[in-house]
Amino acid sequence: MKKAFIFDLDGVIVDTAKYHFLAWQNLAKGLGISFSSAQNEQLKGVSRIRSLEKILEWGNTTISEEEFTRLMHEKNEEYLEYITKMDTSEILPDVPRVLDYLISQDQAIALGSASKNARVILEKVKLYDKFHAIVDGTNVSKAKPDPEVFLIGAQELDVSPENCIVFEDSVAGVQAANVANMISIGIGDAKVLHEADYIFNDFTEIKEEFINNLVMAKKV
Ligand code: B16
Ligand code: MG
């Protein structure tokens, strides 16, 4: 049986949240807004536009449309400086093992990320070639929890949604997978990701037997 395994990027394959945080923090500082790492948690899986809107809301600040566009560009320029230095050492534990096992089992693999920089990051960490389809922030018009990003991935792989399995670290991403009628696997804190069908701290806990069962499983 062929299933499609759809991976989120930030927080699942690599931890780019720390670079987003550095760049957003600098931007917030320039606006006189203080911004904590707890607040950064709320930006995970959230689009670039929505992230800036949230930071402005937290700081009770309004800016012009031109300033908004300029700041988003500036933030991304700084973020790009960090990610161009990334290499394979930044891949989260056991992600290559799981990807290679899926490939050995002839399963379909897609990326489903909100990031417009996803392709650059996958190239930097040398995982680009492992994906049969890449759906990212440049392909979608609706942000998670809307299921668009995962539904496009399923379509590109020609696999029906109920035969898709999504790995996600964000609440919005887990919700998007559930709305799409896909099996959702939360990667991270079980208290935060309790809406997922299965939850693991990281990929070191995901064994081949579990993957084999997923290949045979049906979403109920
Ligand atoms: P960019 P994911 C998301 O990636 C990040 O978690 C989120 O913090 C970021 O704002 C968003 O991508 C957009 O990223 O500015 O690079 O387009 O978790 O969906 O892989
Ligand atoms: Mg994520």
Side-chain angles (χ1 to χ4, degrees):
M1 199 184 293
K2 188 156 181 162
K3 293 282 169 79
F5 289 79
I6 308 178
F7 290 74
D8 173 51
L9 180 65
D10 175 26
V12 169
I13 294 175
V14 287
D15 175 22
T16 40
K18 59 186 177 207
Y19 301 134
H20 282 297
F21 184 44
L22 287 172
W24 282 131
Q25 215 177 20
N26 267 339
L27 177 140
K29 205 160 72 187
L31 291 166
I33 301 172
S34 63
F35 171 50
S36 69
S37 59
Q39 281 168 312
N40 191 55
E41 284 299 306
Q42 294 179 45
L43 301 182
K44 286 187 176 173
V46 172
S47 69
R48 200 182 307 168
I49 292 181
R50 189 65 198 123
S51 298
L52 181 50
E53 284 172 354
K54 276 171 106 72
I55 292 168
L56 293 171
E57 279 164 27
W58 291 330
N60 223 351
T61 305
T62 46
I63 56 173
S64 69
E65 220 176 292
E66 297 80 61
E67 181 74 342
F68 192 98
T69 310
R70 190 184 66 77
L71 288 176
M72 283 225 305
H73 177 76
E74 231 174 62
K75 183 267 172 181
N76 198 50
E77 288 295 301
E78 186 177 337
Y79 179 66
L80 283 172
E81 277 177 33
Y82 300 127
I83 62 173
T84 45
K85 293 184 195 125
M86 287 178 82
D87 61 30
T88 54
S89 67
E90 299 212 35
I91 301 171
L92 291 171
D94 268 12
V95 169
R97 177 183 62 80
V98 171
L99 286 171
D100 288 340
Y101 183 68
L102 291 171
I103 292 166
S104 77
Q105 299 302 302
D106 202 25
Q107 299 299 309
I109 304 174
L111 188 87
S113 165
S115 175
K116 293 186 171 163
N117 299 301
R119 285 178 164 81
V120 183
I121 296 167
L122 283 183
E123 270 165 11
K124 285 282 159 195
V125 300
K126 299 195 166 38
L127 290 178
Y128 193 94
D129 295 341
K130 308 238 183 236
F131 292 83
H132 304 112
I134 293 176
V135 188
D136 66 13
T138 64
N139 308 111
V140 295
S141 55
K142 289 173 244 151
K144 300 167 190 175
D146 190 284
E148 185 185 24
V149 63
F150 298 140
L151 291 173
I152 296 175
Q155 208 172 20
E156 286 197 11
L157 296 172
D158 201 18
V159 175
S160 61
E162 64 271 21
N163 285 321
C164 293
I165 296 106
V166 172
F167 296 101
E168 254 295 343
D169 72 310
S170 74
V171 175
V174 165
Q175 290 169 340
N178 290 342
V179 171
N181 199 29
M182 298 176 177
I183 291 177
S184 54
I185 303 187
I187 302 292
D189 189 337
K191 284 199 257 2
V192 179
L193 301 172
H194 60 89
E195 288 172 68
D197 293 318
Y198 304 92
I199 307 163
F200 297 95
N201 285 309
D202 57 41
F203 280 90
T204 63
E205 295 178 355
I206 300 184
K207 306 296 174 205
E208 290 180 4
E209 193 192 349
F210 175 73
I211 296 170
N212 295 341
N213 288 338
L214 285 175
V215 171
M216 302 307 295
K218 266 197 175 331
K219 172 103 183 176
V220 281

